[in-house]
Amino acid sequence: ISRYDLIEGDRPYAGYSYLSASYHQKRDEGNLWSQMDTAEVQLGVVGPSSLAEGAQKFVHRIRDLQRPNGWDHQLEDEPAITLAFERKWLYHPSNQKGLSADGIAHAGVTLGNVMTYVNAGLELRAGWNIPRSFAVSLIRPAATTWCALDSGLSLYLFAAVDGRAVLRDIFLDGNSFRDSHSVDKKTLVANISTGVTARYQRFSVSLAYTQRTREFDQQPHHHGYGSMVLSYDF
């Protein structure tokens, strides 16, 4: 990030700001299984109008980190639309209290000029009083969760894997309708996440760390990022 010149073998500088809305439909299938369908639409912008340049420079300045100098080469402004659908299957015995474990499988498809891919994965959870919920909301389309409004305290660990077959990724392929910097992407990508969730009544906090496999040919190693989710259910 210290270089001012265009780095041909690295991903383009890019930012993405968006609003999303989701619709969820859940149904129980006996005491052990539940299923939830999620449809989501994202509307936003990729490029300078996303304000990502100012946001990153601000964070680096207040944390006294290296100034990112390559933003002159970022992707151009482009309206962004993403449509996503995902189905989840939850195995969760309704009578389990105290120490317990459960699992959530998922499969879906995402379409749009920002991302187009199919995905599938699995999450396992173990801990104290796990709620009858559909996993932690990680950073990806159609990942918003539903949780039963259980009272009491719960604390659990989770581990999840999500695999993708990627047809389009604007952050690697570049702008859709004009020439821009791009790299040769990898079609198959996987995310592996681990974390912890604490919940009391309607409030919850989750901390997660995600490792993503290499996304383009000249990427030297995998990428990792952390996330924190604070939520209130109503």
Side-chain angles (χ1 to χ4, degrees):
I1 62 175
S2 63
R3 290 174 56 174
Y4 289 87
D5 59 309
L6 176 64
I7 305 173
E8 294 287 349
D10 204 354
R11 69 169 72 239
Y13 270 71
Y16 180 31
S17 295
Y18 65 92
L19 295 174
S20 67
S22 302
Y23 175 78
H24 310 279
Q25 185 176 39
K26 171 187 171 290
R27 60 179 177 270
D28 294 324
E29 300 178 358
N31 294 327
L32 297 179
W33 293 92
S34 296
Q35 180 177 297
M36 185 174 73
D37 293 335
T38 296
E40 179 177 336
V41 58
Q42 294 181 358
L43 299 175
V45 62
V46 172
S49 295
S50 71
L51 305 181
E53 176 181 0
Q56 187 185 35
K57 288 181 177 179
F58 172 75
V59 171
H60 281 233
R61 183 170 64 253
I62 64 175
R63 295 186 59 196
D64 195 27
L65 300 174
Q66 167 66 53
R67 173 186 168 90
N69 294 320
W71 279 102
D72 286 345
H73 307 289
Q74 70 173 301
L75 299 182
E76 299 294 333
D77 273 344
E78 180 173 328
I81 181 170
T82 299
L83 305 174
F85 173 82
E86 187 168 82
R87 174 168 291 180
K88 292 182 178 180
W89 298 269
L90 166 67
Y91 173 79
H92 181 97
S94 59
N95 60 349
Q96 61 180 353
K97 297 294 182 181
L99 291 175
S100 59
D102 67 3
I104 305 147
H106 67 265
V109 59
T110 296
L111 303 171
N113 61 316
V114 176
M115 288 278 191
T116 296
Y117 62 81
V118 295
N119 71 300
L122 176 68
E123 178 173 337
L124 301 176
R125 304 184 296 181
W128 180 265
N129 288 343
I130 301 174
R132 196 180 182 93
S133 65
F134 282 87
V136 174
S137 182
L138 301 176
I139 304 174
R140 61 183 176 86
T144 309
T145 65
W146 176 92
C147 185
L149 300 181
D150 297 327
S151 61
L153 174 69
S154 64
L155 180 66
Y156 59 90
L157 303 173
F158 62 87
V161 60
D162 179 64
R164 300 180 181 180
V166 182
L167 180 62
R168 171 156 180 79
D169 183 340
I170 195 172
F171 307 112
L172 302 173
D173 294 316
N175 284 113
S176 306
F177 312 110
R178 63 180 76 183
D179 291 335
S180 65
H181 178 46
S182 62
V183 292
D184 294 326
K185 71 174 181 295
K186 292 186 175 296
T187 302
L188 300 179
V189 179
N191 293 334
I192 301 174
S193 302
T194 56
V196 59
T197 295
R199 179 179 178 87
Y200 181 70
Q201 295 183 350
R202 300 187 178 206
F203 294 91
S204 68
V205 57
S206 296
L207 301 175
Y209 183 75
T210 299
Q211 294 273 4
R212 177 171 293 173
T213 60
R214 293 169 60 237
E215 297 177 87
F216 59 97
D217 289 346
Q218 292 179 273
Q219 185 175 354
H221 49 74
H222 61 262
H223 176 65
Y225 61 89
S227 62
M228 177 175 65
V229 178
L230 302 173
S231 64
Y232 174 78
D233 297 314
F234 59 91

